[in-house]
Amino acid sequence: MVYDTYAMYLCEWYRTREQNRRYFLTIFRNFLSKNRLMITHHMAILLVLVPTAQRLRGDLGDFFVGCIFMAELSTPFVSLGKVLIQLKQQHTLLYKVNGILTLTTFFSCRILLFPFMYWSYGHQQKLSLLQVPSRIPFFCNVANAFLIAPQLYWFSLLCKKAAQLFDTPSAEKDG
């Protein structure tokens, strides 16, 4: 989380430093205002979620913690996409292939992850998938809802971006 935030700041710094030869504080303030949601997300995970999960769970839940860390498998593709945009390479095959990999890994590792965890727990406890939410502690369902909500939002943004990317040639032909 620290690395992601620092990498985001570096991208902002490199992008804006040549424009106006801005000072550090100006760039930093702009970075904070433009990335408020993502920074809040990273800080909440780093400062609240991880320590809380480590303290409350004791020796339980290693499988579920591992599953949550699996969500980060999509991060390299998201990052590569941002780098390609900064290099103005949106027209390349690499950008399109990376977009497909981003959508695939994001959906698999950040969206399908939650039903998979419920299914795995149900399978272990010999419960149906539909029985699991009522058989696990309420705070687990609440925590999962808080974790999946931003994933669904970001996935919708990725889908919109992908639709624009793959719609552009047909729109140009029609217009």
Side-chain angles (χ1 to χ4, degrees):
M1 295 301 149
V2 172
Y3 168 77
D4 280 351
T5 305
Y6 180 66
M8 287 169 37
Y9 171 74
L10 282 180
C11 287
E12 178 72 13
W13 184 75
Y14 279 111
R15 189 178 63 75
T16 60
R17 73 182 172 124
E18 294 299 321
Q19 292 172 354
N20 296 323
R21 299 264 183 221
R22 295 182 187 177
Y23 292 103
F24 167 79
L25 284 177
T26 305
I27 294 171
F28 189 70
R29 262 188 253 128
N30 287 343
F31 166 71
L32 290 176
S33 68
K34 287 181 182 176
N35 298 288
R36 187 173 297 130
L37 179 63
M38 189 61 75
I39 293 168
T40 302
H41 161 75
H42 283 154
M43 292 301 113
I45 289 173
L46 184 65
L47 300 175
V48 178
L49 186 65
V50 171
T52 301
Q54 294 297 79
R55 292 245 186 235
L56 291 180
R57 71 182 183 86
D59 292 336
L60 301 174
D62 288 343
F63 170 76
F64 298 105
V65 171
C67 283
I68 297 301
F69 285 129
M70 288 285 295
E72 293 304 315
L73 282 175
S74 64
T75 301
F77 301 108
V78 173
S79 298
L80 177 58
K82 289 185 178 200
V83 168
L84 291 171
I85 288 170
Q86 284 191 334
L87 296 174
K88 301 191 184 335
Q89 298 295 308
Q90 297 97 313
H91 62 283
T92 63
L93 178 62
L94 175 60
Y95 184 77
K96 290 181 180 184
V97 169
N98 184 67
I100 292 168
L101 290 171
T102 300
L103 286 173
T104 303
T105 57
F106 200 97
F107 185 72
S108 300
C109 298
R110 292 183 181 234
I111 306 296
L112 290 181
L113 173 71
F114 292 92
F116 172 73
M117 289 191 303
Y118 278 65
W119 175 84
S120 296
Y121 179 82
H123 183 74
Q124 179 78 18
Q125 300 295 319
K126 300 194 182 359
L127 301 169
S128 76
L129 179 63
L130 298 176
Q131 291 174 310
V132 171
S134 63
R135 302 285 178 90
I136 63 175
F138 177 72
F139 75 88
C140 291
N141 290 315
V142 172
N144 282 332
F146 276 109
L147 289 171
I148 199 170
Q151 309 308 324
L152 291 170
Y153 172 71
W154 290 320
F155 186 69
S156 72
L157 294 179
L158 287 171
C159 288
K160 287 177 187 174
K161 181 86 170 172
Q164 290 172 351
L165 177 68
F166 290 104
D167 265 357
T168 304
S170 63
E172 289 173 1
K173 289 177 191 172
D174 294 340

